[in-house]
Amino acid sequence: MIRSGLIRELSAKAALRPEEFGQKAHTINRLHGADLPVPEGFALSVTAVREIADTGIREDWDLSPLIAPGRLKAIRSSPVSRSWGGPETLVNIGMNRQVLADLSRKLGKGVAAEAFCHFVQEYAVSIRRQDAETFRAIARDSAKIGIQPEQLVASCLEAYRALVGEEFPEDPAEQLRNGLKSMIAAWDGTSARILRSARGAPADAGLGLIVQDMVPGYVSARQGSVQFLSPLSGEDGVFGRFLPERLGSAGRSSTSENLDAVDDQLASAFDASSPVIGNMLSEYGLIARRTFHDEMRLDFLLDGETAWILDAVPAERSTRAKLAIAVGLVDDGLVSRQDALFSVDPLDLNDVMLAQLDPRGQPDVVATGVAASPGAATGQIVFSAMAAQAMKSREQECVLVRVETSPEDVRGMYSASAILTEKGGMTSHAAVVARGLGVPCVTGATAVHVDARTRTVTIPDGRVLREGDVMTVDGTGGRVVAGAPGLVEPVLDGAFGVFMSWADEARTLGVRANSDTALEASLAREIGVDGIGLVRTEHMVIEPGRLTLMRELILAQTPTDRQVALERLLPMQRADFIEIFRIMQGLPVCIRLLDPPLHEFLPTSRGAIERLAEAMALPVSRVSERIDDLAEFNPMLGLRGVRLGMTVPEVYDMQARAIFEAAVAVRRKDGTVLAPEIMVPLVSTTMEVEIVKSRVNAVAAAVRAESDCDFGYALGVMVETPRAAFRAGKISEVAEFLSFGTNDLTQMVFGLSRDDAGRFMREYVQQGIYEEDPFQTLDPEGVGEMLLLAAERGRSARPALVLGLCGEHGGDPKSIAFCHRAGFDYVSCSPYRAPVARLAAAQEALRDAMRRRDASSEGSGGE
Amino acid sequence: MIRSGLIRELSAKAALRPEEFGQKAHTINRLHGADLPVPEGFALSVTAVREIADTGIREDWDLSPLIAPGRLKAIRSSPVSRSWGGPETLVNIGMNRQVLADLSRKLGKGVAAEAFCHFVQEYAVSIRRQDAETFRAIARDSAKIGIQPEQLVASCLEAYRALVGEEFPEDPAEQLRNGLKSMIAAWDGTSARILRSARGAPADAGLGLIVQDMVPGYVSARQGSVQFLSPLSGEDGVFGRFLPERLGSAGRSSTSENLDAVDDQLASAFDASSPVIGNMLSEYGLIARRTFHDEMRLDFLLDGETAWILDAVPAERSTRAKLAIAVGLVDDGLVSRQDALFSVDPLDLNDVMLAQLDPRGQPDVVATGVAASPGAATGQIVFSAMAAQAMKSREQECVLVRVETSPEDVRGMYSASAILTEKGGMTSHAAVVARGLGVPCVTGATAVHVDARTRTVTIPDGRVLREGDVMTVDGTGGRVVAGAPGLVEPVLDGAFGVFMSWADEARTLGVRANSDTALEASLAREIGVDGIGLVRTEHMVIEPGRLTLMRELILAQTPTDRQVALERLLPMQRADFIEIFRIMQGLPVCIRLLDPPLHEFLPTSRGAIERLAEAMALPVSRVSERIDDLAEFNPMLGLRGVRLGMTVPEVYDMQARAIFEAAVAVRRKDGTVLAPEIMVPLVSTTMEVEIVKSRVNAVAAAVRAESDCDFGYALGVMVETPRAAFRAGKISEVAEFLSFGTNDLTQMVFGLSRDDAGRFMREYVQQGIYEEDPFQTLDPEGVGEMLLLAAERGRSARPALVLGLCGEHGGDPKSIAFCHRAGFDYVSCSPYRAPVARLAAAQEALRDAMRRRDASSEGSGGE
């Protein structure tokens, strides 16, 4: 018909390209080619559909090849991408009194009449756009109980006539024409366009259509969908849905899309139905896997012992299953390692690292907040650090709920399974500590009201949760859930290891972890990293027991007092570094000197101030005054980082000594030769680096002399201020490495505090003012350009300069790709994000290689 | 003697260049050339002095031309720059028994013996480095009462012999040699080197020496110094010091350097001495003025009616006097306008703009703080805004003293003569408002303790000042002074106007003022500017009476409530703009849309919150909650600027309407056609500008339609974030001008809050980590580079782009020079800084022209 190429048989030898005929037509054609039992039929191309939409079906078009008299047809949608959705299938096209007579002979009059009447109703409703209720009301009126099949048919036709105002059309060609037009109209309807646009479809999204034979005996057939591995674990098995009841007159089940409730009794259901079915479908599954080079889910119809395959789509799969599938396909030589690496979205790997809310559940979400630290955990509510520790000692899981947290709560935060705070953002104390500990955390849940005195949490709907009530914190989704919904636990199985080893082979960009403690360093090693890119020494200092010392240091009245506190801190820090160095076994470890504003270490509550005053034998008023003195208007932009190193240089001296003495100790004990990396934070001038370097050099010389042991080390700069980026050339004459602290850099480039951005970030991203949240994905135009400029200046000054990134962008795939392209040496992120980073780095390296291959083949082609 | 050119007669025809012979030798030589009565003598060059320092005075050097037997000589120092200081003059070189005999004949034995003995003592002490006390003790012992001249001489020589261990040398050549060596040794001494290094001298600072005849009859001569205009006002008169007593045997007075205490009775002192002296010196003064092309102060000796001129230095002068001198010298054709413009340091012009502490006073400084707003004022202490208003209504001057200020205090700040706060920095509320009002202000005087309850200020020395006590605030020097020290009031006289008009002719860079109110706009016009570069609309909103409305707007529950508040604010803002537009008479006015975080407008005290809750008929808890909600961690980096325009767009709509309606009203009333400039603050993306622009365009279209009056306007961007600078190209496709807000930009480039920098800024500048305080002088390497980058990108996108700077750097000469070189169109600063900016811009334009002239002459020379 029409113009050549606009319509093709589904059994055509030449492939039906998805962009021409839609994805479903493409799939069915391939299933056909693999000799699977697929009903015959034709595919209308996207162009044909567009012509019909624009100019209608011309009278001179000959649709007869699509219609064989006496054979029923289905019209199925075949959009270019399945994910866009599409109009529902129209079945039984071609139904008329001649077919009715035929069916009556084969199936009996009653069943045939029911099928006929159902089609008439569907035709009236779906194609002639009549109201279904009204049709049913009229047909019900005329169809009394005990009605004869002939009367049923007559009353249906009467209802059609009454409603539509004309006779029901008996001509199959007319039915087909109207069926096609109605599906195309549905595709072009407003609500369909909005819906698919939300799923990422372009404005001119193309639709193909399929006109396909109905399966013989469809009325008695049973429909199902099946895949041969677990969508959750990826392990072998028979999973899917299988409707035990027959399809019946409607000719189709409600839906088979929803696999959330997996019937893993499917194998026995098949057995009960017919012993050969299971084997046959399993064989078809293997064929489909070989055909599509992927695990597939098959949509099938069972007519007695005959199975018809209607469609095949990629099998449902969790991230864990994805990894198992990828490894299996590579093992069987069906896909390359490269394709396997691209088959997993790096961000999906988060799911296997941490427990998550079970996506199939219906959690009782009582409030939302900032998704401050990912993962999910359930426990009894407690309101104080002390209560959390008590729960821990009884080996009970608890959720620590606070208005906000302070250093005094850290011990309790260690003991809690999850943390919830009413106030605070992504960089509040609770958020930073929780991410470091890998504890799920939601901050800034401003709609809940926490009252620690009465030990209650009032939630927006008015309910009051009390100490001991069970709560779940979803730190991935920023949700607070009452009770204990199902969680999916993390599993790092063999497939994970194999898959990640391929990623490591492919990538050229280093991936390090941010690890502040021995615990986190062990975790990083276990998960797999190339080293530690950031040890935040302040997180070692706020550990229980050390905080008071730190406070004494800060409030010291005289250099002597300060020296006393430092001398007691030194062995503690040294012990920490020894542990970390031993765990990392010679892998690089980059330690950042003390960074945060001093007042962050100081107590805020009256009680804590009094205790500190007592410990220091000072009047409370004196301590309070000093705390007030240290308060800052914009702590982010205050006396912190290297500015501490300039004003209280003894602290950095102590830290450098602890690092060097630890390196010596580890060498003596394990024989491990290591060269610690020392990083200076918040630099804005070259001279700051020079001053720190000369002092650190002096400490190194002293430790070398005292220990009679030589060791190397590197001194570098954390580039967090725009000025440090601008001055990267000069700074790199002094610094051996630059590590971009893109959290702070983003704050300064945008003039935007991450903690305060929450209030309008969503709106900004929705309006497209920010393409993405710049704290999630590196802003390529502002921050990114600054990184490139700094990298170029730094490398010009020192070709061997090592370049890293240690903001949270280090765990974001797009940002990692940016770093790869910029020629950075490594990114550093939370240990939990390291797999994401490794895969993202691998993918970008592969893309890079492809781009270079393309460029060189183009280049050679042009010659 | 020695090698040719190393010694020259003071009367030499060829000039003695200061870099060869020192400034004093140069001056004396020119005085000689002008036929003034100068004692004869010789100048030793810097090279000669260096040779002596290195290798000593060689025995074969013939010093006889410097020594005439029987003539006494003085050795004077002549450093290359006078400002470096130098060894004191040695007099009466050549004194011996032959001279004694001669003097005895002329002056009598007693006087002669006294002069002789004085020289012997000086020789022992200054040249042979003996202890003066010991010498005097020995000489006193031997010199009894009623002693004869001969005995006096003998006992002196005896004391010399006893102390030095050899005979007093009678040979004038030996005395001269030793005198020269001792002065050179003093010049090379450690303390002298430290002293002059502090005065900016280089390590190899050169010294010349002068060997000069003593004035005949010097023993009876009287010494003085005189200049012929007032060092304070620059008006004509006879000012200086004149010692009525004779010089006596010492041959010199203590010092004549200190002119702080001006003896303006000098004219009558001369008259009393001799009627011709005044006229003669005045004549000499005119000659010196013509000779040096500057007003000079003459050092003279009067011997009866003979005046000898010993030296001439530039006359002492205040800034006001500088302007008068400059204008006078240009009028008399003695200097060019260009040289006149360079004769005043732009920063000096601050002195004539505001009252200042009298530099001659000894103020009782009780504390120091941040010099937050320049000028000085005295008044009675008050502790509340209300008390300040009460004082104002009684027309009494008061100083408002607070721990810190908030918007509720603004009315009181208007009424105060000066403001002092215990807390806060350069951008605290008090500082910003005070600078806007031109009220002297010291903030962050943390050593004082303000107790508003007891109405006392406790100062560091323990004194307690009470309400009503008199205090002076020196906002220029950051000093708090008890009582009422003398102030120098500002005078903008005719010379100021003439001088500034020359600056305006010379400069090419525009100078605008930051003026938020009609009052400040008037002031700006009076002082003289090219327009207004920054109207901070928030300062209009925090005016008394409007604050409550603003608070209602912020706390509005519904769009309707918000609209009601906006509709009441609209006519107020419009009225403000009308006034400003009328005052500026068509000169450009650039209005910044609302910038600060909303919570800055909200009350903090319990009482104020209660009053607001009452006004809004809301529960106090509701108001408190909302205020808490709006609190931010880093307000500098929060929900402010254009982010308000994105989230509450109605506010900018209202402001745009007020601006346009004001433009229409002024055009109707005065016929003035004006095109307001509307500036969007805190931009970080192009789309923010696009969104604001489209809304402002819509408002403009509406106002044009409603008023049936056309008007133009320009929409531009305040570049305050590094990202806006990076994106200047794209942004300039939308914006017609860019104005760099370098206060915030500096904060973000350095990652440094200005308010929090105070704690370590001094240390940073002292250590040279920052070459200068980057909030005072534009950081050329970081912020400056960013400005250049943005300017280049902006101009590439839009060649006609107007570029300005409106941070406080707009009043800093080095920063202004930077803007000139970068090709900016204008700078904008406080009206009080406008004269500084105009002169700095003129000087840079002139330097620029000179550089280009030099370059082109070099270029043509090379061809």
Side-chain angles (χ1 to χ4, degrees), chain B residues 370 426 746 750 752 754 757-758 761-762 764-766 769-779 809 812 815:
Chain B
V370 177
M426 273 305 279
T746 300
F750 277 87
L752 179 58
R754 191 173 178 187
M761 182 59 79
R762 181 193 295 263
Y764 256 57
V765 173
Q766 274 174 353
I769 301 172
Y770 296 158
E771 226 169 279
E772 309 196 53
D773 178 346
F775 296 113
Q776 300 285 338
T777 297
L778 193 77
D779 157 45
H809 299 109
D812 169 71
S815 313

Side-chain angles (χ1 to χ4, degrees), chain A residues 799-816:
Chain A
L801 184 73
V802 173
L803 291 172
L805 178 150
C806 64
E808 299 199 21
H809 298 107
D812 170 70
K814 284 189 197 166
S815 313
I816 292 163

Side-chain angles (χ1 to χ4, degrees), chain A residues 404 423-425 428 446 599 628-640 642-644 646-648 682-685 687-688 691 721-724 726-727 747-757 759-760 763-764 767-770 779-783 785-786 789 793, chain B residues 404 423-425 428 446 599 628-640 642-644 646-648 682-685 687-688 691 721-724 726-727 747-757 759-760 763-764 767-770 779-783 785-786 789 793:
Chain A
E404 53 196 336
K423 298 193 174 171
S428 64
T446 49
H599 66 81
D628 283 353
D629 280 355
L630 287 170
E632 299 192 296
F633 296 95
N634 295 283
M636 184 61 57
L637 309 175
L639 179 50
R640 47 172 286 236
V642 71
R643 293 165 195 157
L644 294 173
M646 299 292 100
T647 50
V648 196
L682 208 76
V683 163
S684 63
T685 74
M687 197 185 273
E688 288 166 332
I691 292 173
T721 68
R723 198 172 191 283
F726 267 107
R727 303 299 294 157
Q747 297 196 90
M748 291 172 196
V749 167
F750 277 87
L752 179 57
S753 152
R754 192 174 177 187
D755 282 330
D756 299 310
R759 199 172 296 159
F760 56 90
E763 212 167 322
Y764 256 58
Q767 286 193 51
I769 300 172
Y770 296 159
D779 157 46
E781 292 177 339
V783 182
E785 192 185 343
M786 192 162 274
L789 177 145
R793 291 184 178 183
Chain B
E404 51 198 336
K423 298 192 172 173
S428 64
T446 50
H599 65 81
D628 283 354
D629 281 354
L630 287 170
E632 298 192 297
F633 295 96
N634 296 282
M636 183 61 59
L637 309 174
L639 179 51
R640 48 172 286 235
V642 71
R643 294 166 192 156
L644 293 173
M646 298 293 100
T647 50
V648 197
L682 208 76
V683 162
S684 63
T685 73
M687 196 186 275
E688 288 166 332
I691 292 173
T721 69
R723 199 173 191 283
F726 267 108
R727 304 297 294 156
Q747 298 196 88
M748 291 174 196
V749 167
F750 277 87
L752 179 58
S753 152
R754 191 173 178 187
D755 282 330
D756 298 311
R759 197 171 298 159
F760 57 89
E763 212 167 321
Y764 256 57
Q767 286 193 51
I769 301 172
Y770 296 158
D779 157 45
E781 292 177 340
V783 182
E785 192 186 340
M786 191 160 276
L789 177 146
R793 291 182 179 184

Side-chain angles (χ1 to χ4, degrees), chain A residues 38 80 87 102 124 154 180 192 236 249 352 459 491 592 655 667 700 718:
Chain A
V38 178
V80 168
D102 191 35
L180 291 173
D236 287 348
S249 54
V352 298
I459 58 179
V491 182
R592 180 176 74 184
Q655 294 197 304
R667 180 155 182 190
M718 185 149 175

